[in-house]
Amino acid sequence: MTTAQAADQERHVGAMPVLGLLGAMLSVQVGAAFAKGLFPVLGPEGTTMLRLAIGALMLAVVLRPWKVLPSRKNLPWLAAYGITVCAMNMLFYAALQRIPLGICVALEFTGPLFVATLGSRRLLDLVWVALAVVGIVLLSPFAGVSRGLDPLGVALALAAGACWGLYIIFAQKAGAELGVRTSAYGMAIAAVLALPFGFSAAQPYLTDPHIMAGAAAVGLFSSALPFYLEMLVLARMPAKVYGMLVCLEPAGGALTGFLFLHEKLNLLQCVGVAAVIAAAFGTAVAARRPVSLPA
């Protein structure tokens, strides 16, 4: 595809792909809101374990990963991918227990942002990194004395962002051979790894229909539905448009937290979220590839 053709495609993106991607992002945030509602009963560890297990089952039904088996050469990359999926989800839910959803998503989003600018020698990319750092500082526990954030929650969200950055690298390596089935394998590996951390918390509620219905909603909205929508979207949307729209995710997290969890942000925190969104948007405009969403 020539540069002119790519530009023409960007100008003529239909409404359905845009709505599909927005639906996928909203689905992820709604899933996180459902997950936070399970924390008082299951804790973040039990919720993570059930989310990964149910998500793995749903992806297995849809993608049938056994039809394409990984080669021995690809196993280390696939294992690394599954480990980062597990760590990313465990850390994100542990952070979500302590800080608001919008702030948690914004802090986590710094991981792929830094990966997107890694190795760049352009001054403009350093500007986006600096803007992201400003956003992180404004979202730090020390920025607002009147309403400080949990320092551990901030650290956990940033650690989840680091795992998201590694996830992008490992997903590209493992996905070169397995394609879309990589997520099904990675989710299954992550579910097995999460068992020792979350099974004891979840085990008493495995026969409780209300708790399991909530866990199924988390698996559906956080994993199966957004991944399915994203697969449909990526075939119909240019990379730059995708990357720019994904930058709205921290704002979606803040809005979802406000509507479903009654979480409010102060002025400094809103500015911090906006700074991270602006940095991610600027990076996406200049980047050749989109930032990948976590499985």
Short mmCIF file of all heavy atoms in Angstrom, two decimals, residues 38 41-51 53 194-209 211-212 215:
data_model
loop_
_atom_site.label_atom_id
_atom_site.label_comp_id
_atom_site.label_asym_id
_atom_site.label_seq_id
_atom_site.Cartn_x
_atom_site.Cartn_y
_atom_site.Cartn_z
N LEU A 38 -16.05 -7.52 42.98
CA LEU A 38 -15.79 -8.85 43.55
C LEU A 38 -14.68 -8.84 44.58
O LEU A 38 -14.50 -9.82 45.30
CB LEU A 38 -15.44 -9.84 42.43
CG LEU A 38 -16.54 -10.19 41.43
CD1 LEU A 38 -15.98 -11.09 40.33
CD2 LEU A 38 -17.71 -10.88 42.11
N VAL A 41 -15.15 -9.94 48.29
CA VAL A 41 -15.40 -11.36 48.52
C VAL A 41 -14.20 -12.21 48.12
O VAL A 41 -13.72 -13.05 48.90
CB VAL A 41 -16.65 -11.83 47.73
CG1 VAL A 41 -16.88 -13.32 47.93
CG2 VAL A 41 -17.87 -11.03 48.14
N LEU A 42 -13.69 -12.00 46.92
CA LEU A 42 -12.63 -12.86 46.37
C LEU A 42 -11.23 -12.28 46.55
O LEU A 42 -10.25 -13.02 46.42
CB LEU A 42 -12.88 -13.10 44.87
CG LEU A 42 -14.19 -13.79 44.50
CD1 LEU A 42 -14.34 -13.81 42.97
CD2 LEU A 42 -14.22 -15.20 45.05
N GLY A 43 -11.16 -10.97 46.80
CA GLY A 43 -9.86 -10.33 46.80
C GLY A 43 -9.34 -10.20 45.37
O GLY A 43 -9.86 -10.84 44.45
N PRO A 44 -8.33 -9.38 45.15
CA PRO A 44 -7.79 -9.24 43.79
C PRO A 44 -7.18 -10.53 43.24
O PRO A 44 -7.26 -10.80 42.04
CB PRO A 44 -6.73 -8.14 43.93
CG PRO A 44 -6.42 -8.06 45.38
CD PRO A 44 -7.66 -8.49 46.10
N GLU A 45 -6.60 -11.36 44.14
CA GLU A 45 -5.98 -12.60 43.66
C GLU A 45 -7.02 -13.60 43.16
O GLU A 45 -6.87 -14.18 42.08
CB GLU A 45 -5.15 -13.25 44.78
CG GLU A 45 -3.99 -12.40 45.28
CD GLU A 45 -4.41 -11.40 46.35
OE1 GLU A 45 -5.61 -11.39 46.70
OE2 GLU A 45 -3.55 -10.63 46.81
N GLY A 46 -8.09 -13.80 43.94
CA GLY A 46 -9.14 -14.73 43.51
C GLY A 46 -9.86 -14.23 42.28
O GLY A 46 -10.19 -15.02 41.37
N THR A 47 -10.10 -12.92 42.21
CA THR A 47 -10.76 -12.34 41.04
C THR A 47 -9.90 -12.51 39.79
O THR A 47 -10.40 -12.84 38.72
CB THR A 47 -11.04 -10.85 41.27
OG1 THR A 47 -11.81 -10.69 42.47
CG2 THR A 47 -11.82 -10.26 40.11
N THR A 48 -8.60 -12.27 39.94
CA THR A 48 -7.69 -12.42 38.80
C THR A 48 -7.67 -13.86 38.31
O THR A 48 -7.72 -14.12 37.10
CB THR A 48 -6.25 -12.01 39.19
OG1 THR A 48 -6.26 -10.67 39.67
CG2 THR A 48 -5.32 -12.12 38.00
N MET A 49 -7.60 -14.81 39.25
CA MET A 49 -7.55 -16.22 38.86
C MET A 49 -8.80 -16.63 38.09
O MET A 49 -8.71 -17.27 37.04
CB MET A 49 -7.38 -17.09 40.11
CG MET A 49 -7.09 -18.56 39.81
SD MET A 49 -8.60 -19.57 39.58
CE MET A 49 -9.27 -19.57 41.25
N LEU A 50 -9.98 -16.23 38.58
CA LEU A 50 -11.21 -16.59 37.89
C LEU A 50 -11.33 -15.88 36.56
O LEU A 50 -11.77 -16.47 35.57
CB LEU A 50 -12.41 -16.26 38.78
CG LEU A 50 -12.66 -17.19 39.97
CD1 LEU A 50 -13.86 -16.72 40.78
CD2 LEU A 50 -12.88 -18.62 39.50
N ARG A 51 -10.93 -14.61 36.50
CA ARG A 51 -10.98 -13.87 35.24
C ARG A 51 -10.11 -14.55 34.18
O ARG A 51 -10.52 -14.73 33.03
CB ARG A 51 -10.52 -12.43 35.46
CG ARG A 51 -10.48 -11.61 34.15
CD ARG A 51 -9.04 -11.29 33.74
NE ARG A 51 -8.98 -10.84 32.36
CZ ARG A 51 -8.44 -9.70 31.97
NH1 ARG A 51 -7.94 -8.87 32.85
NH2 ARG A 51 -8.38 -9.40 30.69
N ALA A 53 -9.02 -17.73 34.16
CA ALA A 53 -9.50 -19.08 33.86
C ALA A 53 -10.72 -19.03 32.93
O ALA A 53 -10.79 -19.75 31.93
CB ALA A 53 -9.84 -19.82 35.15
N ALA A 194 -1.77 -18.39 37.85
CA ALA A 194 -2.52 -17.65 38.87
C ALA A 194 -3.19 -18.56 39.90
O ALA A 194 -3.59 -18.09 40.97
CB ALA A 194 -3.59 -16.78 38.20
N LEU A 195 -3.30 -19.84 39.60
CA LEU A 195 -3.98 -20.78 40.51
C LEU A 195 -3.42 -20.77 41.93
O LEU A 195 -4.19 -20.68 42.90
CB LEU A 195 -3.94 -22.20 39.93
CG LEU A 195 -5.01 -22.54 38.89
CD1 LEU A 195 -4.74 -23.92 38.29
CD2 LEU A 195 -6.40 -22.50 39.51
N PRO A 196 -2.09 -20.86 42.12
CA PRO A 196 -1.58 -20.88 43.50
C PRO A 196 -1.88 -19.60 44.28
O PRO A 196 -1.95 -19.64 45.52
CB PRO A 196 -0.06 -21.04 43.30
CG PRO A 196 0.12 -21.57 41.93
CD PRO A 196 -1.01 -21.01 41.13
N PHE A 197 -2.06 -18.49 43.59
CA PHE A 197 -2.30 -17.22 44.27
C PHE A 197 -3.78 -16.99 44.59
O PHE A 197 -4.09 -16.36 45.61
CB PHE A 197 -1.79 -16.06 43.40
CG PHE A 197 -0.33 -16.11 43.10
CD1 PHE A 197 0.11 -16.65 41.90
CD2 PHE A 197 0.60 -15.65 44.01
CE1 PHE A 197 1.46 -16.70 41.60
CE2 PHE A 197 1.95 -15.70 43.73
CZ PHE A 197 2.39 -16.23 42.52
N GLY A 198 -4.67 -17.48 43.74
CA GLY A 198 -6.07 -17.14 43.90
C GLY A 198 -7.04 -18.26 44.21
O GLY A 198 -8.19 -18.00 44.56
N PHE A 199 -6.59 -19.52 44.11
CA PHE A 199 -7.54 -20.62 44.27
C PHE A 199 -8.11 -20.69 45.68
O PHE A 199 -9.31 -20.93 45.86
CB PHE A 199 -6.89 -21.95 43.91
CG PHE A 199 -7.85 -23.11 44.00
CD1 PHE A 199 -8.78 -23.32 42.99
CD2 PHE A 199 -7.84 -23.97 45.09
CE1 PHE A 199 -9.68 -24.38 43.06
CE2 PHE A 199 -8.73 -25.02 45.17
CZ PHE A 199 -9.65 -25.23 44.16
N SER A 200 -7.27 -20.48 46.70
CA SER A 200 -7.76 -20.59 48.08
C SER A 200 -8.83 -19.54 48.37
O SER A 200 -9.78 -19.80 49.11
CB SER A 200 -6.60 -20.46 49.07
OG SER A 200 -5.96 -19.21 48.91
N ALA A 201 -8.69 -18.35 47.78
CA ALA A 201 -9.68 -17.29 47.98
C ALA A 201 -10.96 -17.57 47.21
O ALA A 201 -12.06 -17.26 47.67
CB ALA A 201 -9.11 -15.94 47.57
N ALA A 202 -10.83 -18.17 46.02
CA ALA A 202 -12.00 -18.41 45.16
C ALA A 202 -12.71 -19.72 45.47
O ALA A 202 -13.91 -19.85 45.21
CB ALA A 202 -11.57 -18.40 43.69
N GLN A 203 -12.01 -20.68 46.01
CA GLN A 203 -12.55 -22.04 46.19
C GLN A 203 -13.88 -22.10 46.94
O GLN A 203 -14.80 -22.81 46.51
CB GLN A 203 -11.50 -22.92 46.89
CG GLN A 203 -11.82 -24.41 46.88
CD GLN A 203 -12.63 -24.82 48.10
OE1 GLN A 203 -12.52 -24.15 49.15
NE2 GLN A 203 -13.42 -25.88 47.98
N PRO A 204 -14.06 -21.34 48.05
CA PRO A 204 -15.36 -21.43 48.75
C PRO A 204 -16.55 -20.93 47.94
O PRO A 204 -17.70 -21.22 48.29
CB PRO A 204 -15.13 -20.55 50.00
CG PRO A 204 -13.66 -20.47 50.16
CD PRO A 204 -13.11 -20.50 48.78
N TYR A 205 -16.30 -20.18 46.87
CA TYR A 205 -17.38 -19.54 46.11
C TYR A 205 -17.58 -20.15 44.72
O TYR A 205 -18.37 -19.62 43.94
CB TYR A 205 -17.11 -18.04 45.98
CG TYR A 205 -16.92 -17.35 47.30
CD1 TYR A 205 -15.64 -17.11 47.80
CD2 TYR A 205 -18.02 -16.96 48.07
CE1 TYR A 205 -15.47 -16.48 49.03
CE2 TYR A 205 -17.85 -16.34 49.29
CZ TYR A 205 -16.57 -16.11 49.76
OH TYR A 205 -16.40 -15.49 50.98
N LEU A 206 -16.89 -21.25 44.44
CA LEU A 206 -16.99 -21.84 43.10
C LEU A 206 -18.38 -22.40 42.81
O LEU A 206 -18.75 -22.58 41.65
CB LEU A 206 -15.94 -22.95 42.94
CG LEU A 206 -14.48 -22.48 42.94
CD1 LEU A 206 -13.54 -23.67 42.81
CD2 LEU A 206 -14.24 -21.48 41.82
N THR A 207 -19.15 -22.68 43.85
CA THR A 207 -20.52 -23.18 43.66
C THR A 207 -21.57 -22.10 43.93
O THR A 207 -22.77 -22.39 43.92
CB THR A 207 -20.78 -24.39 44.58
OG1 THR A 207 -20.52 -24.02 45.95
CG2 THR A 207 -19.87 -25.56 44.20
N ASP A 208 -21.12 -20.88 44.19
CA ASP A 208 -22.05 -19.77 44.43
C ASP A 208 -22.44 -19.16 43.09
O ASP A 208 -21.61 -18.56 42.40
CB ASP A 208 -21.37 -18.72 45.32
CG ASP A 208 -22.32 -17.61 45.75
OD1 ASP A 208 -23.14 -17.17 44.92
OD2 ASP A 208 -22.23 -17.18 46.91
N PRO A 209 -23.71 -19.28 42.68
CA PRO A 209 -24.10 -18.81 41.35
C PRO A 209 -23.94 -17.31 41.16
O PRO A 209 -23.62 -16.85 40.07
CB PRO A 209 -25.57 -19.22 41.23
CG PRO A 209 -26.04 -19.42 42.63
CD PRO A 209 -24.85 -19.88 43.40
N ILE A 211 -21.68 -15.22 42.67
CA ILE A 211 -20.26 -14.87 42.53
C ILE A 211 -19.72 -15.35 41.19
O ILE A 211 -18.99 -14.62 40.49
CB ILE A 211 -19.44 -15.50 43.68
CG1 ILE A 211 -19.90 -14.94 45.03
CG2 ILE A 211 -17.95 -15.23 43.47
CD1 ILE A 211 -19.76 -13.44 45.16
N MET A 212 -20.11 -16.56 40.78
CA MET A 212 -19.61 -17.08 39.51
C MET A 212 -20.19 -16.32 38.33
O MET A 212 -19.53 -16.18 37.29
CB MET A 212 -19.94 -18.57 39.40
CG MET A 212 -19.16 -19.45 40.41
SD MET A 212 -17.37 -19.15 40.38
CE MET A 212 -16.97 -19.70 38.73
N ALA A 215 -18.02 -13.35 38.11
CA ALA A 215 -16.72 -13.73 37.56
C ALA A 215 -16.83 -13.98 36.05
O ALA A 215 -15.92 -13.63 35.29
CB ALA A 215 -16.20 -14.98 38.27
#
